[in-house]
Amino acid sequence: MTTKNKKSTVTIEWPTSHFTIEDVQTKYPDSVNITLRFRVNKALENKEIVLIGKIKPSIGRPKKVFAKANPTKELIEAAKAAGVISGDTTTVAV
């Protein structure tokens, strides 16, 4: 007797604001975490979403923060207000 595993073909709708993989995990609790990470990487390659920065917790690894492609200036400012560190590291000479 053979068993067949059906693949879940859930279409992920990316949030309109900034988000992390954990935020998407709470929206789709039945999805496996590694599957969501593969979908995020595929969406990054297809330029559906973009990496806008990181959130650095007090302990542990930084969490990447994403947004839909072509984020608005208001979305970037809201992300910075929420504690997102920008991916652009520009230094100022004194």
Side-chain angles (χ1 to χ4, degrees):
M1 186 181 281
T2 60
T3 59
K4 293 184 180 182
N5 293 336
K6 290 188 176 185
K7 287 188 177 181
S8 175
T9 57
V10 175
T11 303
I12 296 178
E13 294 180 22
W14 304 112
T16 55
S17 63
H18 63 281
F19 61 94
T20 62
I21 294 177
E22 289 79 18
D23 296 334
V24 178
Q25 179 73 40
T26 58
K27 188 174 179 183
Y28 298 97
D30 294 336
S31 294
V32 180
N33 194 8
I34 192 68
T35 303
L36 288 176
R37 291 183 184 277
F38 279 120
R39 299 257 177 112
V40 165
N41 287 335
K42 193 171 188 176
L44 281 171
E45 288 176 4
N46 294 338
K47 298 185 178 170
E48 296 174 21
I49 60 174
V50 292
L51 178 68
I52 60 170
K54 297 179 181 180
I55 295 175
K56 185 169 180 169
S58 59
I59 298 174
R61 292 184 179 198
K63 297 178 183 179
K64 293 180 180 179
V65 180
F66 304 97
K68 281 189 173 181
N70 301 323
T72 62
K73 191 169 189 172
E74 292 83 18
L75 188 136
I76 299 290
E77 293 300 323
K80 284 183 183 179
V84 175
I85 301 169
S86 175
D88 299 332
T89 56
T90 56
T91 56
V92 177
V94 178

